[in-house]
């Protein structure tokens, strides 16, 4: 959906950043479409160098918009640094940039070309400004991410334990598994305490817990990873942010693959929906009705689960956006 133009569309400069783990590829456009390019490391020293470079180009915070793609965790530090230095920053879902590239018939795929495209997108589309999470939200995000990392390690350790034949190796894996479980329990207690001590987080999580299939730990992930629902114009945009919208494969009449989740987006939020969606397919009337309709149409099991994950996130978004508890009548299984 195209966003309404604002006064920021009159800014003199547009900086596009192609974010990588090691480097930031920069393209600065002026109103005359003159482009200056450079590359800096994606670390604290490189972030300072970027701000100095912008200053030398005459691109002050008051006259410059900055646009970058959401790329996992790699964009967070530079977005925060630029925000702290007064720049107007937008962090955009990669699917929007990809769609814009298609509309511009861009076929060149390099970091420099991507940065220039992102700068042009920011200049012409004027995406919504990004705002950093509050201190409480950042702390909750840190805790929930640590818990998810330990959950993955728990699964790997359990698999190693199941495969081990030597008794000493089994004992070592079992001891490690017990320690991981203890750390997960500690983190879950800390997450619960953090939510309870912050009224805003507590209200949001309590609303989400009215949704059958969503418990406190899932609610905490949704709140910390999704952020303010106001940054999305629709439930579909929120689902796109999590990489939960279907990606169709079709080429002429010869290739017609089954739709798959795009998986371009926030993987932590996407993964957090899996087991709750499985529960919701059994106990949430809206999600169950939706899943039953898909099964009746002959959809495969994983397609149904993926659709249920998307439906559940739509419901989470609707509850947070409205500020009202879950009402199944507002979410028909269609």
């Amino acid at each position: 959906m195209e966003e309404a133009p604002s006064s920021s569309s009159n800014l003199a400069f547009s900086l596009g950043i192609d974010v990588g783990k090691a480097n930031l590829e920069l393209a600065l456009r002026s109103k005359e479409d003159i482009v200056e390019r450079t590359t800096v490391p994606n670390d604290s020293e490189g972030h300072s160098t970027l701000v100095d470079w912008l200053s030398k180009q005459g691109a002050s915070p008051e006259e410059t918009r900055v646009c970058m793609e959401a790329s996992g965790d790699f964009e967070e530090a530079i977005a925060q640094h630029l925000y702290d230095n007064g720049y107007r920053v937008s962090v955009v879902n990669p699917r929007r940039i990809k769609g814009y590239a298609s509309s511009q018939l861009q076929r060149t795929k390099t970091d420099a070309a991507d940065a220039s495209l992102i700068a042009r997108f920011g200049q012409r589309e004027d995406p919504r400004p990004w705002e950093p999470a509050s201190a409480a939200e950042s702390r909750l995000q840190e805790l929930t991410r640590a818990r998810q990392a330990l959950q993955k390690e728990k699964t790997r350790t359990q698999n190693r334990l199941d495969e081990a034949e030597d008794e000493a190796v089994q004992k070592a894996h079992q001891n490690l598994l017990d320690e991981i479980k203890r750390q997960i329990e500690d983190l879950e207690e800390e997450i619960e305490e953090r939510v309870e001590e912050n009224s805003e987080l507590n209200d949001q999580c309590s609303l989400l817990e009215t949704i059958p299939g969503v418990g406190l730990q899932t609610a905490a992930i949704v709140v910390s990873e999704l952020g303010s629902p106001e940054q999305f114009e629709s439930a579909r945009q929120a689902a796109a942010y999590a990489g939960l919208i279907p990606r169709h494969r079709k080429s002429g009449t010869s290739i017609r693959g089954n739709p798959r989740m795009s998986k371009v987006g926030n993987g932590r939020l996407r993964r957090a929906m899996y087991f709750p969606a499985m529960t919701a397919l059994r106990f949430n009337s809206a999600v169950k009705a939706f899943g039953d309709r898909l099964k009746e149409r002959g959809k495969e099991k994983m397609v149904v689960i993926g659709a249920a994950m998307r439906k559940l996130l739509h419901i989470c978004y609707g509850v947070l956006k409205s500020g009202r508890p879950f009402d199944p009548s507002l979410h028909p299984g269609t």
Side-chain angles (χ1 to χ4, degrees):
M1 179 180 293
E2 209 171 282
E3 300 194 26
S6 71
S7 59
S8 61
S9 60
N10 296 320
L11 296 176
F13 295 96
S14 178
L15 174 67
I17 305 180
D18 185 68
V19 179
K21 181 178 181 180
N23 295 304
L24 302 172
E25 191 73 34
L26 312 175
L28 181 67
R29 300 180 67 90
S30 68
K31 285 187 174 181
E32 292 75 28
D33 287 345
I34 299 172
V35 180
E36 297 291 341
R37 295 187 176 90
T38 191
T39 304
V40 300
N42 191 2
D43 55 28
S44 57
E45 184 176 345
H47 300 167
S48 297
T49 300
L50 188 162
V51 173
D52 291 342
W53 179 76
L54 286 174
S55 178
K56 291 177 182 177
Q57 304 300 321
S60 67
E62 296 77 19
E63 296 182 297
T64 308
R65 75 171 53 78
V66 181
C67 188
M68 66 189 78
E69 290 181 332
S71 57
D73 301 334
F74 302 139
E75 83 284 354
E76 291 182 2
I78 183 57
Q80 182 70 58
H81 186 78
L82 287 165
Y83 181 91
D84 291 342
N85 279 272
Y87 284 91
R88 181 186 189 275
V89 180
S90 295
V91 180
V92 181
N93 189 291
R95 290 184 62 86
R96 289 193 66 190
I97 302 297
K98 184 177 180 180
Y100 184 75
S102 297
S103 72
Q104 300 297 302
L105 302 179
Q106 175 165 317
R107 293 179 173 83
T108 303
K109 181 65 178 174
T110 66
D111 292 345
D114 286 348
S116 183
L117 175 77
I118 294 168
R120 190 162 71 247
F121 173 89
Q123 188 177 52
R124 298 185 180 181
E125 299 299 313
D126 192 23
R128 187 185 303 274
W130 172 86
E131 290 188 6
S134 67
E137 290 171 334
S138 295
R139 178 57 176 156
L140 183 62
Q141 186 181 81
E142 185 180 2
L143 289 168
T144 57
R145 289 183 175 185
R147 176 180 172 272
Q148 283 186 309
L150 284 174
Q151 291 280 15
K152 291 177 67 175
E153 189 58 37
K154 174 186 170 184
T155 300
R156 284 194 289 262
T157 304
Q158 182 67 64
N159 291 339
R160 295 189 189 106
L161 174 60
D162 294 341
E163 295 169 359
E165 297 181 359
D166 184 86
E167 186 175 342
V169 174
Q170 290 176 347
K171 184 177 180 181
H173 286 316
Q174 185 62 60
N175 290 339
L176 178 58
L177 185 61
D178 292 341
E179 175 60 21
I180 292 172
K181 289 179 179 178
R182 185 191 65 78
Q183 292 183 22
I184 290 174
E185 290 176 359
D186 290 345
L187 280 173
E188 289 179 345
E189 290 180 7
E190 182 71 13
I191 288 168
E192 187 173 353
E193 290 176 6
R194 292 287 176 172
V195 169
E196 288 179 351
E197 68 186 21
N198 184 283
S199 59
E200 184 176 356
L201 295 178
N202 191 39
D203 289 346
Q204 290 176 317
C205 288
S206 295
L207 282 171
L208 291 173
E209 287 183 271
T210 65
I211 305 169
V214 177
L216 174 61
Q217 299 300 324
T218 299
I221 295 172
V222 172
V223 168
S224 62
E225 296 293 343
L226 190 64
S228 171
E230 301 302 324
Q231 67 177 311
F232 305 103
E233 294 186 353
S234 66
R236 180 175 174 80
Q237 281 192 7
Y241 174 74
L244 282 172
I245 61 175
R247 174 173 58 86
H248 296 275
R249 293 183 297 155
K250 181 177 179 181
S251 177
T253 59
S254 59
I255 300 176
R256 293 178 183 271
N258 291 326
R260 295 287 187 267
M261 283 188 292
S262 72
K263 295 187 178 180
V264 178
N266 188 310
R268 293 183 178 87
L269 181 56
R270 182 172 61 251
R271 288 189 294 272
M273 290 291 102
Y274 182 79
F275 288 112
M278 297 280 283
T279 301
L281 281 167
R282 298 178 60 194
F283 302 110
N284 184 314
S285 58
V287 178
K288 184 178 184 302
F290 180 59
D292 288 344
R293 288 175 184 270
L294 293 176
K295 292 174 186 176
E296 290 170 3
R297 289 159 54 187
K299 298 299 182 181
E300 298 177 1
K301 178 180 178 181
M302 291 309 298
V303 173
V304 174
I305 294 173
M309 292 165 66
R310 183 169 62 255
K311 178 74 172 180
L312 189 60
L313 187 59
H314 282 186
I315 294 173
C316 289
Y317 169 83
V319 164
L320 290 174
K321 183 88 170 181
S322 68
R324 297 176 180 176
F326 171 67
D327 180 351
S329 68
L330 299 177
H331 303 277
T334 56

